[in-house]
Amino acid sequence: MGRMPPARNPLRDHLIEAAAETARSVLDNLHATDRLRQSTSAIHAGMSLELLLRAVVADLAPALVFAVRNQSDAVMRVMVSAQQKTELDLAWLHEQRSAEASTIRVAAERLIPALEALRTEIAGVVKHRDSAVHMYSAATVDNRQAAATLTRVASLVLKHLGHDDKQFWASDRMDLVKALLDEHDDARRADVAVRVRACRLKADELAERLADN
């Protein structure tokens, strides 16, 4: 039995499409050596990641993407309009003020709990993007880490939304996506192993002290 297509949601669909376009750019520029393409990759990784998280929130309720503190009547009208739209007007979207990125991340974590384990990595991607935007500074090693985190976040989000990952990445990039996912898993396993080893050494040290006493 085939997968049911996701329900119509213009804002979510726009965000997923935008995330796909920027994510593909990240992979296409992954091995770039010139500063412009390296910076572009860093910026697009941060953009794609945040667009994915906004898509998760928009899937629940498009209005939440525009939620802000101390909501005025005008903001409430925007939220109601976002909830009712069956077609997305990009000119209208351009005029709106979106919710803070931190608010979106928290909401996305509530909807996809597995994202919480990637909180540090996600923050790293955003910091790397900001460095490229504000200081025109990006490094190949950081771009690769950003790409690995982006593929992990995309995997979780696309599964949650019922979207096809091959369509998101385009089939000719799937081998690279798989390699980045495996690389990310290996890095996490290595990090866990280091932490477990440190705990064991600490436990042995405490045990020796107790034995001496």
Side-chain angles (χ1 to χ4, degrees), residues 20-41:
E21 291 179 2
T22 46
R24 292 168 192 163
S25 172
V26 172
L27 297 195
D28 292 345
N29 286 300
L30 188 58
H31 299 104
T33 56
D34 62 285
R35 189 164 53 180
L36 177 59
R37 291 174 65 198
Q38 284 183 338
S39 295
T40 298
S41 181

Side-chain angles (χ1 to χ4, degrees), residues 22-31 41 45 118 121 125 140-155 168-170 172-189:
T22 46
R24 292 168 192 163
S25 172
V26 172
L27 297 195
D28 292 345
N29 286 300
L30 188 58
H31 299 104
S41 181
L118 295 173
E121 288 93 333
V125 174
T140 301
V141 63
D142 293 327
N143 279 350
R144 189 171 187 84
Q145 179 58 49
T149 298
L150 176 59
T151 56
R152 174 60 61 192
V153 171
S155 177
F168 180 87
W169 291 108
D172 61 337
R173 298 179 181 86
M174 288 308 299
D175 287 344
L176 179 53
V177 169
K178 185 179 184 305
L180 288 168
L181 287 172
D182 291 343
E183 180 179 280
H184 188 281
D185 286 341
D186 288 343
R188 290 189 68 83
R189 282 193 288 267

Side-chain angles (χ1 to χ4, degrees), residues 101-175:
S102 58
T103 302
I104 294 293
R105 286 174 218 159
V106 169
E109 285 179 3
R110 294 293 297 272
L111 294 166
I112 308 178
L115 286 171
E116 188 173 353
L118 295 173
R119 185 180 295 173
T120 299
E121 288 93 333
I122 289 172
V125 174
V126 174
K127 182 179 179 180
H128 186 49
R129 177 204 61 190
D130 291 346
S131 178
V133 170
H134 300 300
M135 300 300 291
Y136 199 43
S137 171
T140 301
V141 63
D142 293 327
N143 279 350
R144 189 171 187 84
Q145 179 58 49
T149 298
L150 176 59
T151 56
R152 174 60 61 192
V153 171
S155 177
L156 293 171
V157 169
L158 295 174
K159 181 179 180 180
H160 175 79
L161 296 179
H163 279 261
D164 182 54
D165 55 351
K166 291 183 179 179
Q167 182 179 355
F168 180 87
W169 291 108
S171 58
D172 61 337
R173 298 179 181 86
M174 288 308 299
D175 287 344

Side-chain angles (χ1 to χ4, degrees), residues 9 23 30 46 72 86 97 101 121 148 153 165 174 182 198-199 208 210:
N9 183 317
L30 188 58
S72 64
T86 57
R97 179 183 177 185
E121 288 93 333
V153 171
D165 55 351
M174 288 308 299
D182 291 343
C199 290
E208 287 181 5
L210 290 173

